[in-house]
Amino acid sequence: MTATAPSEVRSDPPDHGTAADAAGTDAPGTDAAGTDTAGLAGFGYRQELHRSLGRYASFAAGFSFISVLTTVFQFFAFGYSFGGPRFFWTWPAVLIGQLLVAACFAELAARYPISGAVYQWSTRLSNAVFGWYAGWIMVIGQVVVVAAAALALQVVLPAVWSGFQLIGTDTSPVSSDGAANAALLGIALLVLTTVVNLLDNTVMSLVNRVGVTAEIIGAVLIVTLLFTHADRTPSVTVHGGGGSSALLVSSIAAAYVMIGFDSAGEMSEETRDPQRVAPRTILSALAAAGALATLLVLAALLAAPSLTDGRLGTEGLSYVLTSRLGDGVGRALLCDVAVAVTVATLAIQTSATRMLFSMARDRALPFSGPLARVSPRTGQPPAPALVVGVLAAALLLLNFGSPDAFLAIGTTCIVMLYLAYAMVTGPQLLRRLRSPLPPATDPSGNPLFSLGRWGLPVNALALLYGLAMTVNLAWPRATVYDPSGGHWYFQWFTLLFLLAVLLVGFLWRTLRAHRGRVAPEGAAVPAPTP
């Protein structure tokens, strides 16, 4: 029995005297493993995942999910093709909005340091049913993000060496050849990341930390070199490009980059002193990645050989690097980007694995038994890693059918995550309107992260931003999602996929309730088992 408090019976908010209340005073606050384990028991769970991650590993979990080099290289051409040089301003705008969300999440990470962060937070702030749907949407979204991240290899590897173009000759990810080749490279990458996720979590953490370090060094080096090769001033960012509608479309690039900072919360049960570490790393990972991404976009605009020859809108950053820095340096830096893509895919798959595990041990998913099992030797849940890898690979097969699937997959995943985030900040705001969140302290009485009197305005702005961005991302623009025409289902892919996810979830819950396997709403939360 891995948990004595299944989420299906958690219907009361944490301030009604449930075990979750203990986070304010009794949850872990020191670096002693025994204290961390005792704090987890206060939520009704046994310590099964190996608690071996330090502060940098926690930071790396969030930073590598965001993965500046992966996502900026993947979506720069898309953003520029719609917004032109002015699309630069979407980056600081999205960063500010996401920092509001991250601040709200940091508060919750200090109070509820549990794997399956979004699912756990939403459940405790609202009720079991709403929290389940938040977790269901989040985990499906994460699986789609894994697939989308793996596709990014196509933007990098063929530019390093033509031998990586195994299918056809056109390397563009939106061409038939490029889309099929992207799927092939992505499936190979998923095999690698799944194997690593089946190993000891110290191996996974080591790979992640080394990769993040290489990515940070590479990103700083790229930014520095591009600035030294700049031919124009930042004033170009206020000229050219489309109007406000085009900027809303181009903001999809920045929105895709700055997600996944909650991964530090996902890894809380494997982090030492998570109540102090996770809030800081959630904020620092987003701030560092967002600042680097913004500088990278600006540097590319200033150093690009031309803003009007059309190549920035088709080849993106790979074109800038190889043109300005030469084939040798450019290809070397692209190799670093390939490492970043690999580590990002690994980190996103790990995060999705923890979400599946967290929901399964609450018996909130089909096949919960195998999905909740943790290997005592590796400290990893093997079944979720395999499920995420297989499902993500299956999604990549869509790329063989149509190049438009590349953008459809990428947009769908960020809509899912933005919606899941709003399903946390929404209940969090309602909770604040009823009464302030209780202050969180460690066992010594020292305060943990809190927004204090800024909590209400920050929370309200975070929710408004999240909902507005969700609508913007999901809007069925034919020019974006079905540019070649004739595939109406790609134009509506995001909404159709979301509806399908909700329908499948509803049918499963209805079937389970019909079989009498769901406890009545309002049932008391069982006391934790020692």
Side-chain angles (χ1 to χ4, degrees), residues 270-281:
E270 295 155 86
T271 303
R272 295 186 293 270
D273 194 12
Q275 284 188 286
R276 289 201 175 278
V277 170
R280 296 173 183 175
T281 52

Side-chain angles (χ1 to χ4, degrees), residues 28-29 53 63 101 230 270 284 292-293 298 339 356 370 404 426 466 469 483 514:
L53 307 184
F63 189 94
V101 178
E270 295 155 86
S284 61
L292 270 177
L298 178 61
V339 172
L356 271 178
D404 293 335
M469 187 58 77
H514 180 71

Side-chain angles (χ1 to χ4, degrees), residues 273-370:
D273 194 12
Q275 284 188 286
R276 289 201 175 278
V277 170
R280 296 173 183 175
T281 52
I282 285 173
L283 289 167
S284 61
L286 175 60
L292 270 177
T294 303
L295 288 173
L296 183 56
V297 170
L298 178 61
L301 292 174
L302 302 188
S306 172
L307 299 178
T308 58
D309 64 0
R311 296 184 66 181
L312 272 181
T314 55
E315 301 174 48
L317 282 179
S318 298
Y319 154 64
V320 181
L321 256 62
T322 54
S323 299
R324 278 301 189 190
L325 306 181
D327 279 349
V329 176
R331 291 174 194 272
L333 291 172
L334 287 175
C335 289
D336 187 65
V337 177
V339 172
V341 173
T342 302
V343 174
T345 305
L346 172 64
I348 299 167
Q349 185 175 5
T350 302
S351 185
T353 296
R354 298 306 182 267
M355 179 66 75
L356 271 178
F357 162 74
S358 182
M359 295 185 72
R361 69 178 171 184
D362 284 353
R363 300 190 296 277
L365 290 174
F367 310 107
S368 287

Side-chain angles (χ1 to χ4, degrees), residues 15 31 36 49 67 113 119 160 163 191 252 305 322 363 367 391 395 409 419 467 496 505 515:
D15 60 347
D31 59 0
D36 293 339
L49 303 173
S67 189
Y119 156 68
V160 174
V191 172
I252 293 175
T322 54
R363 300 190 296 277
F367 310 107
L391 290 178
L395 281 174
I409 290 175
L419 181 58
L467 292 175
L496 292 173
R515 292 177 176 176

Side-chain angles (χ1 to χ4, degrees), residues 193-250:
T193 57
T194 300
V195 170
V196 174
N197 261 306
L198 293 174
L199 300 175
D200 190 282
N201 74 342
T202 56
V203 176
M204 177 273 297
S205 176
L206 176 62
V207 173
N208 201 25
R209 282 179 284 135
V210 171
V212 165
T213 302
E215 179 174 6
I216 293 174
I217 294 173
V220 171
L221 185 59
I222 290 172
V223 169
T224 302
L225 289 173
L226 290 182
F227 273 129
T228 60
H229 287 75
D231 287 336
R232 51 186 70 87
T233 66
S235 63
V236 301
T237 62
V238 298
H239 304 295
S244 57
S245 178
L247 287 177
L248 285 175
V249 175
S250 66

